[in-house]
Amino acid sequence: MLEEQTDNLQNADGNLGIDSNEAIQPVTKLIEEAAIAETEAETVTVSEPSLNSEMAQTNTIIDAIVDSNAEESEDETLKERHDIPMLDYDTLSLESLVDELKKLVTNEKVMSIKDHVEEIKKSFLAKYYHLVDEKKEEFLAENTDTNEEFQYHSPLKTQFDHYYTLFKENKNTHFKSLQTNLKTNLENRLAIVEELKELIKPQENIKDTLKHFNELRDRWKNAGPIPKDKYNHVWNNYHFHLENFYDYLHLDREARDLDFKHNLEQKQKIVARVEELVHEVDINKAFRELQDLHKIWKEDIGPVSREFRDEIWNKFSDLTKQMHDKREILFENLRGTELENLEKKKEIIAKIEVLATEKVNAHSQWLGQIEKVEALRTAFFSAGKVPTDVNEETWSNFKTAVRNFNSFKNSFYKDIKKDQNNNLSRKTALVAKAKELQESVDFSVTTPIMKQIQEEWKQIGHVPRKYSDKIWAEFKEACNHYFDKLKEQKNEENSEEIEAFDKKKAYLETLREFQLIGDHKTDLDAIKLHIETWKNFGKVPFARRHIEGKFNKVLDALFEKLSLSKKENELMRFANRIDSLSENNESRKLENEKIFLMRKIDEIKNEIFQLENNIQFFTNTRNAKKENSIVLEVRKNIEKHRAEMELLKEKLKQIRSINQE
């Protein structure tokens, strides 16, 4: 009895309602001697010479689909790769490539991502080894005088190796399991074929033969995948002996025709679905479904009657070619985009080549050049894919251009390496000097030296990068150690200075009440005693030195009342002022005062010399019997200048006596 058939033209989602089990249910004759001709017509031959070229192309397309289906029949997980988008991995950074590899390896089946992983590997290693080459060139440029070997370790490479190794282990495990299953399944299918061949031998009970036949057919459906290189041979062999069995049964023509009709309806459904797919917007998705329909056509549906055989197959083949042509147009558009990307990358390479010849002579300028190249590198990696046949050449040209730029750049830094080593020697000497002085407690002597060391450090240029942090840390530690001690000492001194300020403040109030008694010697001794007492109080905090000015004002008022000569008065005031500067360690102001006095003395000397020359002119005049009023005025000026000069010399003497102390 024929099993009842169910005809569902389409599912709710628009796909064919073809059930592979349904397609092989009718137990009728699958076209006696014409079964083999059906297979050959669908895959190989064309009778009309005028169509040979076009049909040969169509057969090539169909053969490619058959090969793809054979591969996926071997390993069902390969189907899933079509659902995982293939990104343009060349545009991703090393970090993004590692992240993408991690996501695929940890979340997807191993064989569905093998193409993706290999593309990631190719992009990652190309970029990584290019980076290593650059680092090596930089290392060699900075270490010309050392035997140290170049080493470069990247955490990204470690992560990549980890996930790629995990992928290979998963793939090996999968292959071992798959190969075992494929071998077993192939043996089972070949055994089924042999048993099927035996069925055409005379049997005592046809009922038992049919029962055995149905068992073989069920075992065939559940036998599992076989190696792809055996796929076509085993399937054709099975169908051949299946048809022989139908011939052997000599089923009646009515049953055979019913089976032909059923198979024709199933194939017509496939043709109708392909006609819809021709208009599908997502061409890749449509072509993927076309591959599945070819598989159903070959594996699950039997032959049709001779009068419809060529017609239905040719229609299916023509639609397949239309789908392929649309896909080729899509690929052609992609190739056009790849050609545009190629032009972009050529322009980028040309710009890098120009930068590799632009000579600059300063570190800051090289930083600008490096920034330009980095921007061009980013643009290159973001430009997208180029045609496969020029991909290696383009990548090689890019690496060469960047390598030439780096070599050009490194030659500049080789020239300044000698200066950097010299700077290192100078800074090393300063570090040693700072360490030598860091324990000193002679703060008045050591502090200016330490400040000078710091100023010298600022004036020295860069040192080799690998020593920079270390030598700076040593220098900073020595300086901080000394100045921390200085700060502690000043904190101790500050308490004494505040106490001195308080005493001076109180003493200043009593001094305001002081009155001269009119006796010159007694009053002068009293003023000197006040000055000495004031000095003995000690230094006051820097921020409160205004009290010294108040004290000097009180002294000035007392000196005004004291019956002293102008010179004595001036010298006493000056002595008090420089004593105050000396007491507060204001050496710079003392030095400035000294320089001022020396210059002033020289000016007065020159003035006296000029005045004496003028007098010589008047006294040598023949008619000058006596000095006139002009000469007398000049002599008065000379005496005035001499007196002023003597005063200045006395002041200079006082300053020098302080310096000698």
Side-chain angles (χ1 to χ4, degrees), residues 246-286:
Y246 279 123
D247 291 344
Y248 169 74
L249 288 180
H250 298 291
L251 296 179
D252 60 80
R253 181 177 297 275
E254 181 180 352
R256 184 192 66 180
D257 290 344
L258 182 61
D259 196 44
F260 280 166
K261 180 182 177 183
H262 170 77
N263 294 337
L264 178 62
E265 290 173 351
Q266 296 299 310
K267 291 187 175 183
Q268 285 172 337
K269 291 179 182 180
I270 290 179
V271 169
R273 178 55 185 160
V274 178
E275 287 176 338
E276 294 176 358
L277 292 177
V278 169
H279 304 289
E280 173 65 47
V281 175
D282 190 339
I283 297 175
N284 285 326
K285 178 182 177 183

Side-chain angles (χ1 to χ4, degrees), residues 8-54:
N8 295 320
L9 288 179
Q10 291 186 342
N11 294 332
D13 60 358
N15 293 325
L16 278 173
I18 297 175
D19 185 348
S20 59
N21 294 331
E22 171 195 355
I24 59 173
Q25 281 298 325
V27 188
T28 60
K29 188 159 119 182
L30 298 178
I31 303 296
E32 302 167 356
E33 74 281 352
I36 300 176
E38 162 82 16
T39 303
E40 294 175 348
E42 293 180 357
T43 59
V44 182
T45 62
V46 177
S47 58
E48 296 84 346
S50 61
L51 298 178
N52 279 347
S53 176
E54 182 177 354

